[in-house]
Amino acid sequence: RQNSNWKKPMSVIIEGEVVYPGRYPIDEKNFRLSDLLQKCGGFKESADIERTRLFRKALEDVVDPEMERLSRIPPSEMSKNEYRYYLSRVNERKGLMSIDFRNVLLNPESDDNIVLQDKDSIFVPKMNEFINVQGRVNNPGLVSFKPTYNYLDYIELAGGYGFRADEEATLLVKSKGEQFLAKDLNYKIEPGDNILVPPREEMTFWEIFTTGLTVATQLLTITGVIITIVRLR
């Protein structure tokens, strides 16, 4: 006979750079991240704690009605705000939780030490000893991390700025997604970070026309001044 009080056992998975990866049974209310880290033996020395990710299965099937609507509309027919919203969410990884795992280790009372839910999964990547330089550089790809290097040094390792590179708009993108304008230097470059060099924007016909007209007007003005000076002599 069926037992009306029976419930399917709940569990979570942790994989990657921990001492004992695998599936662990959890309590419905009280099993927190710190409990799982203790059970699995904690992070290995090779673990990249900053890039550790927690995915919540329960959130993967949540539907965004606005994205459902926009996915049926050609980008050319979207308003400016609609297009921005679409771009900001089109590559979103559903179920990805924003967790500071280092904070969980340092302060178990922090808000990051969340209660785990059934089918949550955690992946702990291996420490990345490279910087990823992409975009308008001559040799894009991974370059070795050097603690004393700034963004210009890494761009040089990637062959230097390429054709039509927008040097002023170079970005430093952290492993968790934060973006900084590279020239501001208000960040710390760490293994696994990305340096992106965008192309300069193409000038429209109207911009080329108005720029040319401005230059031509200035030349005509200078020519007129020169002719006037010559005649006065």
Side-chain angles (χ1 to χ4, degrees), residues 133-227:
V133 185
Q134 295 293 334
R136 291 302 176 110
V137 291
N138 290 313
N139 295 302
L142 298 175
V143 296
S144 296
F145 171 72
K146 308 289 185 182
T148 60
Y149 276 20
N150 62 28
Y151 79 99
L152 291 173
D153 296 319
Y154 289 113
I155 288 172
E156 283 301 310
L157 287 179
Y161 284 111
F163 178 66
R164 291 191 59 79
D166 192 341
E167 299 180 20
E168 295 297 308
T170 300
L171 293 174
L172 189 285
V173 182
K174 304 294 290 181
S175 58
K176 283 195 172 182
E178 305 99 319
Q179 295 187 12
F180 302 89
L181 197 60
K183 66 179 183 179
D184 290 343
L185 301 176
N186 58 342
Y187 52 82
K188 178 182 178 182
I189 298 180
E190 299 171 303
D193 286 351
N194 303 275
I195 295 174
L196 303 180
V197 182
R200 289 201 301 269
E201 291 185 6
E202 297 288 345
M203 294 182 69
T204 64
F205 171 79
W206 181 249
E207 288 173 330
I208 296 173
F209 175 76
T210 53
T211 301
L213 185 62
T214 301
V215 172
T217 302
Q218 292 172 344
L219 290 174
L220 287 173
T221 302
I222 294 171
T223 302
V225 171
I226 293 173
I227 292 174

Side-chain angles (χ1 to χ4, degrees), residues 8 11-13 26 55-57 117-121:
K8 184 178 179 179
S11 63
V12 295
I13 295 175
I26 66 168
F55 297 94
R56 178 143 288 174
K57 179 69 175 177
Q117 295 184 9
D118 187 31
K119 297 181 182 179
D120 281 354
S121 60

Side-chain angles (χ1 to χ4, degrees), residues 7 9 12 41 43 47 50 58 64 71 75-76 106 111 117 138 152 161 191 224:
K7 291 183 179 180
V12 295
F43 295 110
E50 299 295 332
D64 180 347
S71 64
S76 59
L106 296 174
D111 292 337
Q117 295 184 9
N138 290 313
L152 291 173
Y161 284 111

Side-chain angles (χ1 to χ4, degrees), residues 33 52-54 97-101 104 111-112 114 176:
L33 260 177
T52 298
R53 297 290 182 262
L54 188 154
M97 304 287 289
S98 179
I99 302 292
D100 185 340
F101 282 83
V104 174
D111 292 337
D112 288 298
I114 63 172
K176 283 195 172 182

